[in-house]
Amino acid sequence: MNIVRYDRLYPFEWYAYMLENNSVYYHPKQKKWHIFRYEDVRKVLSDYTNFPQLSRPEEKAISPLETSLIGLNPPNHRQMRSLVSKAFTPKAIANLQPRIREIAKELLDQVVEKGEMDLVKEFAYPLPVIVIAEMLGIPKEDRAQFKQWSDDIVDSAELGSFDMNNDKVSLGEKAKKFANQLRLIQKFRKAEKELGAYFIKIFEERRKEPKDDLISHLLEAEVDGRKLTEFELLGFCSLLLVAGNETTTNLIGNMIFSLNQFPDVAKHLRERPEDMKKGIEEVLRYRSMVRSLERVAANDIEIGGQLIKKGQTVLVWLGSANQDPEKFPNPNQLDINRDNLQHIAFGHGVHFCLGAPLARLEVDIAMQELFKYFSDIQLKEDVEYHLNALDGLENLPITFTVAERS
């Protein structure tokens, strides 16, 4: 049997293979179930009773992120989400539009005379970092450090099972993999410790002198008559930092990378910018920023004809679900005229990404300004593109022609 290997930059053939042959698959060495079909993935994400987040109470939590929205289940999740959601109402997001556009223009003004740039490092990453830092009330001089902490925390997503007894892997490869795992753990712990100390200092400053920023509002907020603990506050702020910039960074990079592969779509969006929102949704489906999410089975339950037992870990593949031909015909085509754009790139159910509207707005403005500034955007040839810990590009060198602007 011809086994298709997983290629993170171009995973589509592997997704098609798994959807056809192993749509619900148990990996005996990882001791995890892998789920690939759209309907099955959606079912798992919807059913928080049978497939909750693996969470711990604060006194047993290893990381503040475990007490944030991403690590909570209802009813605690609903209570916490209601606090942060006030910063992400449609009105609050709309009010950010002028500032987001201003930031995008400032960043493009810095590179417009060069004729080339690394789209990720010089545009896609600083844009959302500045936005989320300003929402939190973080000083301008600390933004670069904020991004580094965010990257080091997200890189921990690369940590996973590795079979040291696999005879097909050389001792040298095993040693390299093991060393990399240790490096990621050390980076994560260092980043989280430094970020925690930084936020605690900000908390102390805001308690003495509140400002009109999200941290000050969270310090005053109450859940069922009680204030948030410092650990919960750290979890909130860490999640907002990581999720608030990585999602947008990855989506901007994925947009340009995908449009380069489908120049007819790029041409259409240039000529009809009113379709940009459809273009964003189709890129979200076509090249999802988060390839998978993990849940745990709370009960014995059947999915796709397979019995998943209580306590077993389940990995749902969002990237594969969004490539399921039963849901999205011709999934390898970037088609902004699809009748169905109900992707699950932002998750589904109670844990649907709270910041999705902000990410969509940031990317919409970013693409509008890129097309206004540059009449032609090309990827540099013979460049090795590196993926980050999620499914976004770590680097994206481009060349461009400056557009005539009135």
Side-chain angles (χ1 to χ4, degrees), residues 138-368:
I138 302 304
K140 181 178 180 179
E141 58 270 21
D142 294 338
R143 290 172 189 162
Q145 181 60 70
F146 248 56
K147 174 60 179 173
Q148 188 59 58
W149 285 328
S150 175
D151 287 346
D152 290 348
I153 290 170
V154 170
D155 280 348
S156 67
E158 290 289 358
L159 292 169
S161 302
F162 182 65
D163 182 17
M164 295 297 289
N165 298 314
N166 189 343
D167 295 333
K168 296 180 180 179
V169 179
S170 69
L171 287 174
E173 286 299 314
K174 289 178 181 178
K176 284 171 61 178
K177 180 70 175 181
F178 185 68
N180 186 56
Q181 298 260 318
L182 287 178
R183 181 183 63 83
L184 292 176
I185 292 171
Q186 290 167 351
K187 282 175 62 179
F188 173 82
R189 288 176 176 169
K190 181 174 182 290
E192 192 170 55
K193 181 179 179 181
E194 291 176 356
L195 181 61
Y198 180 86
F199 273 133
I200 288 171
K201 180 183 175 183
I202 297 291
F203 296 161
E204 291 172 354
E205 292 175 358
R206 294 299 187 274
R207 287 189 180 103
K208 294 176 183 176
E209 189 177 343
K211 296 184 178 181
D212 186 20
D213 58 38
L214 189 52
I215 287 179
S216 297
H217 296 322
L218 288 173
L219 286 167
E220 292 300 316
E222 293 186 357
V223 179
D224 292 342
R226 70 170 179 85
K227 293 285 185 72
L228 296 176
T229 68
E230 196 160 85
F231 204 72
E232 289 170 335
L233 285 166
L234 286 173
F236 264 132
C237 294
S238 299
L239 178 63
L240 287 170
L241 168 63
V242 174
N245 81 75
E246 295 293 340
T247 300
T248 303
T249 296
N250 290 344
L251 182 50
I252 294 172
N254 288 352
M255 282 278 307
I256 295 299
F257 191 74
S258 300
L259 291 177
N260 185 76
Q261 295 173 299
F262 296 90
D264 289 346
V265 179
K267 182 175 183 292
H268 176 94
L269 293 178
R270 279 187 178 278
E271 295 173 351
R272 300 186 62 179
E274 66 272 15
D275 285 343
M276 185 62 72
K277 290 180 174 59
K278 291 198 296 183
I280 292 170
E281 296 309 308
E282 176 62 351
V283 170
L284 281 163
R285 181 205 65 80
Y286 174 75
R287 188 174 280 277
S288 304
M289 307 91 62
V290 179
R291 61 184 175 276
S292 59
L293 294 172
E294 197 168 89
R295 297 289 188 267
V296 62
N299 303 289
D300 290 356
I301 188 168
E302 185 177 301
I303 295 286
Q306 300 289 336
L307 178 62
I308 298 175
K309 295 183 178 179
K310 180 180 179 179
Q312 290 185 318
T313 301
V314 174
L315 204 66
V316 291
W317 286 81
L318 276 63
S320 171
N322 288 331
Q323 287 281 323
D324 188 342
E326 292 185 10
K327 189 70 176 179
F328 307 103
N330 300 314
N332 290 340
Q333 293 299 308
L334 195 69
D335 180 5
I336 64 171
N337 293 313
R338 289 182 184 276
D339 295 331
N340 171 25
L341 284 175
Q342 295 178 341
H343 61 77
I344 48 176
F346 285 117
H348 186 70
V350 296
H351 287 98
F352 180 81
C353 178
L354 181 66
L358 176 58
R360 286 175 164 124
L361 176 62
E362 288 174 321
V363 177
D364 190 5
I365 293 173
M367 293 303 301
Q368 290 176 31

